[in-house]
Amino acid sequence: MNFLASSSVIVFINFIYINLLLTRKKSIKYSITAFLINYLMVVLGCILSYVLFRYYIYYKYIIYLITFSFIIYLQLVFEESFSTKLFTMLTTWLFSNVILIICSYIIGLFNFKNINLYEFPFSALRIFIQLAFIPITYFYFRRFYKEMLTLVNNKVINTISFYCIIISIFLIIQYKLYDFNTMSFQELVKSLLFVILIILSYIIIFIAIWSANKNIELEYKIKIIDTQLELQKQNYINLNKSLNDYYAFKHDIRHHLLAIKVMLDAKNYIAASEYFEKLNENEICQSVGVLCKNFTIDSILKHYVSIAAQYNIDFNVNVNIPQDIKVDNLDLSIVIGNCVENAIEACNNIANESRKFINLKAQIIGSQLVIKIKNNFNGQIKKEGNVIKTIKNGEGHGIGLSNVRKIVEKYNGYFNINYNYNEFQVSVVMNFK
């Protein structure tokens, strides 16, 4: 009975950890109900296993298999992918059993004459340590863990989950984890070394993921800067060409006007109209004007306007961003560039010949930059857990939107995605006091 009570408390604490580390998609009432039903099923299964199989050598493996059914609760309640939920559950379970081994060592330092006297202080110490780590997890580890999950794809999660499964199997075979048991000095040394190995391996995994992400971000920013410089260079070239064309056009305009006057005086209105139409088709009359006062964003928008025109996409731009805005130009380039690029990609994936459109609006409201971009798409959304990914293939896909979110957070802003069966809208608010 004491074992069931202490184990129940540990299970509840572990699921507090899981609720902190994952994103719930159901209400609290639904989550609690699903957990209690799942918990009662596990308890009933453990009792039946005790009655039927307690004398068999594989009894403890049956217990662990029954306990593993808590994955049903995770699948029903949380948004993330199955592999992410599995990794989180195994990580929480490993953390709990690392504390169990440490508590075994600490309580084993006291020489109680009666072995039964160990059980209560052992359970109390284990529960106390796990409760003490809850606020640490909430304030310091939770955000880092969720951010890490958004940086890796399911293949990476599957790989590290496999590593967790191997360690879990080793623990199940090596230790009697469902009850307190004393250890010899050599067993304690081996256990502590194993605990250190688990902790170090997790540190290495998280550092590797963090470092890989930083490298990807650095490469991405370098690529953005190179693209930005190239677009600005092209914008300067086009601007210079437009000025030269303008001066040439200004020099020749009196000749054109004189030609039209002669045709009108001769009442040759058809010839005058045709001449005027040809004059109106002159490249200088057709060139794209200034789309934005901010030269960097103007260069980027002109680049994407030309791309949209190639794919017959109606690209409506209403952007009012000043040159001296207190937002880094690189950050602006990443936010607007990624959103527009994804919108063009989404329009290109529309199979039928229906109208394709992108509406981009950006304006300053008080001390906030508000950006809204709406486009139509084919209704297909690719998600990994609760994170929307781009449809395109290739290394680093989905990194763009992740970087947009980070930049919005940097400016204490707001990032939101809304969509229905054929329209997709991204809203961004950035504060720049």
Side-chain angles (χ1 to χ4, degrees):
M1 191 68 182
N2 291 334
F3 163 69
L4 182 61
S6 62
S7 297
S8 298
V9 173
I10 294 298
V11 168
F12 277 101
I13 294 173
N14 286 343
F15 275 87
I16 291 174
Y17 281 108
I18 290 173
N19 275 271
L20 291 177
L21 298 175
L22 295 177
T23 304
R24 197 175 64 246
K25 65 181 178 181
K26 299 291 186 178
S27 65
I28 295 177
K29 183 178 179 180
Y30 179 94
S31 302
I32 292 174
T33 303
F35 172 76
L36 290 175
I37 293 173
N38 204 165
Y39 173 74
L40 290 174
M41 289 170 57
V42 170
V43 171
L44 181 62
C46 290
I47 292 172
L48 288 175
S49 299
Y50 178 79
V51 173
L52 299 174
F53 307 112
R54 67 179 182 273
Y55 298 116
Y56 293 89
I57 192 171
Y58 49 81
Y59 165 65
K60 71 173 183 177
Y61 303 111
I62 295 175
I63 295 295
Y64 288 118
L65 284 174
I66 293 172
T67 306
F68 186 76
S69 67
F70 275 118
I71 194 69
I72 298 172
Y73 163 74
L74 271 65
Q75 193 68 7
L76 291 173
V77 172
F78 299 102
E79 290 185 353
E80 285 78 5
S81 63
F82 177 81
S83 55
T84 301
K85 295 170 188 174
L86 177 63
F87 172 70
T88 303
M89 187 178 79
L90 290 174
T91 298
T92 304
W93 184 82
L94 285 172
F95 172 73
S96 178
N97 284 288
V98 163
I99 292 176
L100 179 148
I101 294 171
I102 293 172
C103 291
S104 297
Y105 171 73
I106 294 172
I107 299 300
L109 296 174
F110 299 92
N111 294 318
F112 292 109
K113 293 181 179 180
N114 186 353
I115 190 68
N116 293 324
L117 296 176
Y118 281 93
E119 186 175 352
F120 176 75
F122 163 75
S123 299
L125 180 63
R126 184 185 180 191
I127 291 169
F128 173 78
I129 293 176
Q130 288 206 221
L131 286 173
F133 272 97
I134 289 176
I136 296 173
T137 302
Y138 180 80
F139 289 108
Y140 299 103
F141 185 69
R142 179 190 185 194
R143 183 175 178 180
F144 167 77
Y145 184 83
K146 286 191 173 185
E147 184 177 325
M148 185 209 71
L149 293 180
T150 64
L151 300 176
V152 294
N153 55 39
N154 283 332
K155 290 182 179 178
V156 176
I157 292 291
N158 289 338
T159 302
I160 55 181
S161 295
F162 180 75
Y163 166 77
C164 294
I165 291 171
I166 296 299
I167 296 178
S168 301
I169 292 173
F170 179 84
L171 278 172
I172 291 169
I173 295 172
Q174 191 71 17
Y175 300 101
K176 188 180 178 183
L177 297 172
Y178 52 85
D179 198 5
F180 172 75
N181 57 94
T182 58
M183 301 181 188
S184 66
F185 178 76
Q186 289 183 342
E187 289 175 332
L188 286 172
V189 171
K190 288 181 181 179
S191 300
L192 290 176
L193 288 174
F194 186 64
V195 166
I196 293 171
L197 178 64
I198 293 175
I199 294 172
L200 286 177
S201 61
Y202 264 88
I203 291 173
I204 291 171
I205 288 172
F206 287 135
I207 290 176
I209 292 173
W210 182 83
S211 299
N213 176 65
K214 287 298 176 184
N215 289 334
I216 292 173
E217 281 188 357
L218 184 60
E219 291 175 2
Y220 183 79
K221 286 186 176 180
I222 291 172
K223 181 181 177 182
I224 290 291
I225 292 171
D226 289 341
T227 304
Q228 187 181 46
L229 290 173
E230 183 61 33
L231 291 177
Q232 288 190 24
K233 178 183 175 182
Q234 189 62 42
N235 204 10
Y236 276 120
I237 293 172
N238 292 336
L239 181 60
N240 187 57
K241 185 177 182 297
S242 295
L243 286 172
N244 291 333
D245 290 343
Y246 169 75
Y247 288 128
F249 185 77
K250 184 179 179 182
H251 179 268
D252 295 335
I253 189 66
R254 66 179 185 274
H255 303 298
H256 297 304
L257 292 175
L258 181 60
I260 293 173
K261 182 179 182 300
V262 170
M263 294 175 192
L264 292 174
D265 289 343
K267 297 184 179 181
N268 192 352
Y269 302 120
I270 295 176
S273 177
E274 290 176 351
Y275 191 93
F276 181 79
E277 286 297 327
K278 289 181 180 179
L279 184 64
N280 192 47
E281 291 173 0
N282 188 291
E283 187 178 346
I284 191 170
C285 298
Q286 300 297 324
S287 60
V288 178
V290 176
L291 298 175
C292 179
K293 295 177 183 178
N294 185 292
F295 191 78
T296 301
I297 302 305
D298 184 65
S299 303
I300 291 171
L301 290 177
K302 284 178 179 176
H303 169 70
Y304 285 114
V305 164
S306 65
I307 292 176
Q310 294 173 17
Y311 294 111
N312 297 319
I313 300 172
D314 292 335
F315 193 175
N316 302 309
V317 179
N318 181 12
V319 175
N320 184 15
I321 302 176
Q323 181 64 37
D324 59 348
I325 188 173
K326 294 179 181 178
V327 177
D328 188 87
N329 276 334
L330 179 60
D331 293 337
L332 280 175
S333 300
I334 292 173
V335 171
I336 293 179
N338 272 291
C339 291
V340 173
E341 185 177 20
N342 290 338
I344 291 175
E345 176 200 334
C347 288
N348 283 338
N349 287 328
I350 298 175
N352 55 39
E353 295 298 324
S354 61
R355 174 179 173 262
K356 303 173 184 179
F357 72 87
I358 299 172
N359 295 328
L360 172 63
K361 184 177 182 181
Q363 60 182 330
I364 305 296
I365 301 177
S367 59
Q368 294 180 325
L369 171 61
V370 180
I371 303 169
K372 290 186 178 180
I373 179 165
K374 179 187 287 188
N375 60 275
N376 57 345
F377 75 120
N378 61 8
Q380 297 179 7
I381 295 292
K382 182 178 181 180
K383 297 181 73 174
E384 288 188 4
N386 62 330
V387 180
I388 293 177
K389 300 284 188 179
T390 54
I391 302 296
K392 61 190 173 198
N393 297 317
E395 184 179 356
H397 78 91
I399 296 297
L401 283 180
S402 175
N403 283 332
V404 171
R405 288 189 182 92
K406 286 184 180 179
I407 290 169
V408 172
E409 289 177 3
K410 173 182 173 181
Y411 291 91
N412 298 315
Y414 169 81
F415 178 83
N416 187 53
I417 294 175
N418 289 312
Y419 57 89
N420 55 28
Y421 68 96
N422 69 344
E423 288 189 357
F424 193 95
Q425 178 172 301
V426 176
S427 302
V428 173
V429 177
M430 300 168 69
N431 297 290
F432 56 90
K433 286 185 178 180

